[in-house]
């Protein structure tokens, strides 16, 4: 957000009002929902209530990937007949293109680039074996080489030059944006379309057909809880998401000579294929944006304000230099993080509580920039009764069918135990002197712990 000019906040809600739809939360889910509602039925009276300013949460503080998939999509689509599965996959793969269409048609300035992604084996040989297994899995589940294609080292180095490459998979189904710019642009556009936005209006309670703040209430035919990680502390929202944190750094703008050494000429994103994922991209102002690792706080407590500590910046800087040692003398100028929602089973969901007129969406598992666009279309279609192909995706559920996370302290112990097993695996495999038995043991333990998350 600090790259943008200050914006005058919308006024807070003062008193009671009515609307056709009230949306709680002005992040990507809420703003996309408002946008598509106005596209489908321009006459709708739509109110958006935001506790701070639009994009205050993870929507303005993320890695900027628009991914053409949903977290856990294999389990989500399992059991569908082939024709419907293919149709759902086509809908998911089209998410970056749909965002691009709206960005172009509405003139949204957000540094959108549809350059695809490189999933890289980049630090130890076991990554190559796991990545080749994943590629075989993708191909066995309805994806072709046009969706996921193997790149040998020479082909990878034409796009991205890493210190120790073993190969990569390229997929065209990822775009990148500057998230704070997209939030700001969507905020402006929905207001132009007639949406009533009230900022600094934290909602205390969501209940049947209404949302209540300290200074007023909005009664509506539909209430949309677009809160994602922030839904756990909201009274009246039936959600089983927990909040975890992502953390990202960015370098100073790099000279062209360094970019000639790195690559990424065409807006590609990249990800290193370990269980503790590292990822990044080249920004429009020529910074390297790099994210890695995350965190969970006891009882899923939100982290706010979200300023990275020197140790958190240093860890990500160290990982970045393992991939790009030519950046050793480059300054890190920015570090930030965001709270994101994870549902049990890593299954994002659209929750329909028709009896109370309440809808919600979230649990995107760190892939919310793209998934929120699909959620906005889905919520708008459900409210308007509009037939839409996005409704074929089987991620709708009801409050009584939501899976619950384990109670504390089991949740905290389990999360940290799993993350420590991933960290141990990564350290063992990244040490070329580790004994073969130790490498096998580390992988077996991490794989079993990984299964606990499903």
């Amino acid at each position: 957000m600090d790259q943008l000019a200050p914006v005058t906040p919308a006024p807070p809600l003062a008193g009671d009002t009515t609307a056709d739809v009230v949306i709680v939360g002005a992040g990507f889910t809420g703003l996309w929902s408002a946008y598509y509602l106005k596209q489908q039925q321009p006459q709708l009276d739509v109110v958006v209530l935001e506790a701070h300013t639009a994009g205050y949460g993870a929507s303005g503080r993320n890695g900027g990937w628009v991914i053409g998939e949903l977290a856990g999509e294999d389990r989500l689509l399992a059991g569908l007949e082939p024709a419907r599965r293919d149709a759902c996959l086509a809908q998911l793969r089209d998410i970056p293109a749909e965002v691009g269409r709206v960005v172009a048609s509405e003139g949204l300035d957000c540094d959108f680039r549809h350059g695809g992604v490189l999933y890289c084996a980049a630090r130890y040989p076991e990554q190559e074996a796991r990545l080749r297994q994943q590629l075989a899995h993708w191909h066995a589940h309805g994806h072709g080489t046009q969706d996921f294609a193997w790149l040998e080292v020479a082909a990878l180095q034409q796009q991205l030059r890493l210190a120790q490459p073993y190969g990569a998979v390229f997929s065209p189904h990822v775009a990148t944006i500057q998230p704070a710019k997209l939030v700001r642009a969507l905020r402006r556009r929905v207001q132009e379309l007639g949406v009533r936005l009230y900022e600094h209006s934290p909602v205390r309670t969501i209940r049947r057909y209404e949302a209540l703040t300290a200074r007023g209430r909005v009664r509506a035919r539909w209430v949309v809880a677009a809160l994602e990680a922030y839904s756990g502390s909201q009274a009246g929202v039936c959600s089983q998401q927990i909040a975890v944190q992502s953390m990202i750094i960015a370098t100073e703008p790099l000279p062209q000579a360094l970019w000639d050494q790195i690559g990424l000429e065409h807006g590609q994103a990249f990800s290193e294929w370990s269980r503790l994922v590292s990822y990044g991209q080249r920004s429009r102002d020529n910074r390297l944006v790099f994210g890695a690792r995350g965190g969970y706080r006891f009882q899923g407590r939100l982290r706010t304000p979200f300023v990275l500590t020197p140790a958190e910046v240093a860890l990500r800087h160290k990982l970045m230099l393992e991939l790009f040692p030519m950046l050793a003398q480059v300054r890190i100028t920015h570090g930030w993080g965001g709270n994101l929602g994870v549902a049990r089973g890593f299954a994002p969901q659209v929750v329909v509580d028709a009896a109370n007129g309440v809808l919600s969406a979230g649990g995107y598992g760190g892939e919310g920039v793209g998934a929120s666009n699909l959620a906005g279309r889905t919520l708008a279609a459900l409210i308007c009764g509009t037939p839409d192909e996005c409704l074929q995706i089987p991620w709708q559920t009801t409050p009584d069918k939501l899976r619950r996370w384990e109670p504390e302290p089991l949740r905290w112990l389990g999360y940290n135990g799993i993350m420590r097993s991933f960290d141990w695996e990564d350290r063992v495999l990244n040490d070329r002197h580790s004994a073969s038995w130790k490498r096998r043991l580390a992988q077996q333990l991490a794989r079993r712990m990984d299964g606990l998350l499903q």
Side-chain angles (χ1 to χ4, degrees):
M1 283 287 191
D2 69 350
Q3 291 186 315
L4 305 183
V7 65
T8 301
L13 179 69
D16 296 348
T17 188
T18 61
D20 294 309
V21 182
V22 57
I23 298 170
V24 182
F28 284 140
T29 300
L31 294 174
W32 280 124
S33 298
Y35 174 80
Y36 285 108
L37 283 166
K38 282 295 193 177
Q39 294 301 302
Q40 294 183 28
Q41 293 187 8
Q43 75 279 10
L44 285 177
D45 184 11
V46 179
V47 166
V48 177
L49 301 174
E50 167 57 42
H52 299 278
T53 55
Y56 172 84
S59 293
R61 305 176 62 81
N62 61 74
W65 285 31
V66 185
I67 306 176
E69 64 179 41
L70 291 177
E73 69 179 35
D74 287 343
R75 296 187 302 279
L76 182 70
L77 304 182
L80 297 183
E81 60 181 24
R84 184 181 175 191
R85 179 183 173 83
D86 290 346
C88 289
L89 285 174
Q91 281 283 303
L92 298 179
R93 300 297 169 256
D94 189 57
I95 289 172
E98 167 63 14
V99 172
R101 287 190 288 268
V102 176
V103 165
S105 65
E106 298 288 0
L108 306 181
D109 177 16
C110 63
D111 300 348
F112 179 87
R113 290 181 294 179
H114 196 165
V117 62
L118 295 156
Y119 297 113
C120 304
R123 288 169 60 238
Y124 39 83
E126 286 84 355
Q127 287 184 330
E128 179 183 354
R130 285 188 60 232
L131 186 53
R132 286 185 181 274
Q133 290 172 0
Q134 181 62 48
L135 179 63
H137 176 84
W138 279 322
H139 288 170
H141 286 77
H143 307 286
T145 55
Q146 74 278 7
D147 299 306
F148 299 97
W150 182 260
L151 301 180
E152 298 292 352
V153 171
L156 168 60
Q157 289 182 316
Q158 292 178 13
Q159 300 191 55
L160 176 63
R161 289 168 281 283
L162 300 160
Q164 189 170 292
Y166 294 92
V169 169
F170 175 76
S171 173
H173 305 305
V174 172
T176 59
I177 49 98
Q178 208 279 23
K181 284 186 175 182
L182 180 56
V183 169
R184 184 71 60 82
L186 283 172
R187 175 187 185 274
R188 171 187 55 79
R189 185 64 187 124
V190 299
Q191 288 181 291
E192 291 172 349
L193 292 171
V195 171
R196 290 189 281 156
L197 172 64
Y198 298 98
E199 294 180 313
H200 296 290
S201 300
V203 171
R204 290 183 168 182
T205 304
I206 291 174
R207 61 192 187 195
R208 194 178 191 193
Y209 303 126
E210 65 180 9
L212 284 73
T213 75
R215 300 178 60 188
R217 74 179 68 194
V218 182
R219 290 193 56 82
R221 291 188 292 119
W222 289 102
V223 181
V224 174
L227 295 162
E228 237 262 313
Y230 293 78
S231 62
S233 58
Q234 175 60 64
V237 177
C238 187
S239 171
Q240 298 304 322
Q241 300 173 57
I242 59 171
V244 301
Q245 289 79 42
S246 65
M247 302 180 199
I248 304 162
I249 60 173
T251 69
E252 62 185 324
L254 305 181
Q256 186 58 46
L258 276 177
W259 283 116
D260 290 343
Q261 296 180 54
I262 296 170
L264 300 179
E265 292 92 345
H266 306 295
Q268 307 97 316
F270 67 89
S271 176
E272 177 229 346
W273 201 254
S274 66
R275 295 183 211 275
L276 292 170
V277 179
S278 303
Y279 59 94
Q281 70 266 6
R282 178 179 181 173
S283 71
R284 278 288 191 187
D285 60 350
N286 290 317
R287 303 171 189 269
L288 182 68
V289 178
F290 186 82
R293 311 301 194 260
Y296 171 75
R297 308 179 81 191
F298 189 73
Q299 295 183 332
R301 293 195 306 271
L302 297 169
R303 183 168 168 178
T304 180
F306 209 136
V307 178
L308 268 58
T309 67
E312 289 169 337
V313 172
L315 171 61
R316 283 143 194 89
H317 190 199
K318 174 181 176 294
L319 292 167
M320 183 186 77
L321 293 181
E322 287 189 24
L323 300 177
F324 306 106
M326 71 285 286
L327 300 182
Q329 303 305 314
V330 168
R331 291 187 305 117
I332 302 300
T333 59
H334 292 75
W336 68 94
N339 300 291
L340 59 97
V342 177
R344 190 67 176 94
F346 276 71
Q349 57 217 353
V350 172
V351 185
V352 181
D353 183 1
N356 293 303
V358 178
L359 301 172
S360 64
Y364 303 131
E367 299 182 0
V369 180
S372 59
N373 173 270
L374 180 66
R377 285 183 275 152
T378 302
L379 292 167
L382 288 169
I383 290 170
C384 296
T386 308
D388 193 297
E389 290 184 359
C390 69
L391 296 178
Q392 296 300 311
I393 297 171
W395 63 330
Q396 295 177 44
T397 189
T398 53
D400 58 301
K401 293 181 180 178
L402 289 171
R403 289 183 62 187
R404 295 180 179 274
W405 282 95
E406 291 74 10
E408 296 290 17
L410 296 178
R411 197 162 64 205
W412 185 87
L413 292 170
Y415 180 92
N416 283 282
I418 291 168
M419 291 302 109
R420 288 193 179 198
S421 76
F422 291 176
D423 180 65
W424 186 60
E425 178 195 41
D426 193 69
R427 286 187 287 109
V428 168
L429 298 183
N430 199 38
D431 179 0
R432 67 180 67 184
H433 301 297
S434 295
S436 57
W437 68 265
K438 192 174 185 180
R439 302 176 82 89
R440 289 194 300 270
L441 178 62
Q443 291 181 89
Q444 290 170 3
L445 176 62
R447 186 163 51 247
R448 291 184 180 183
M449 296 296 279
D450 199 2
L452 299 177
L453 291 172
Q454 309 308 317

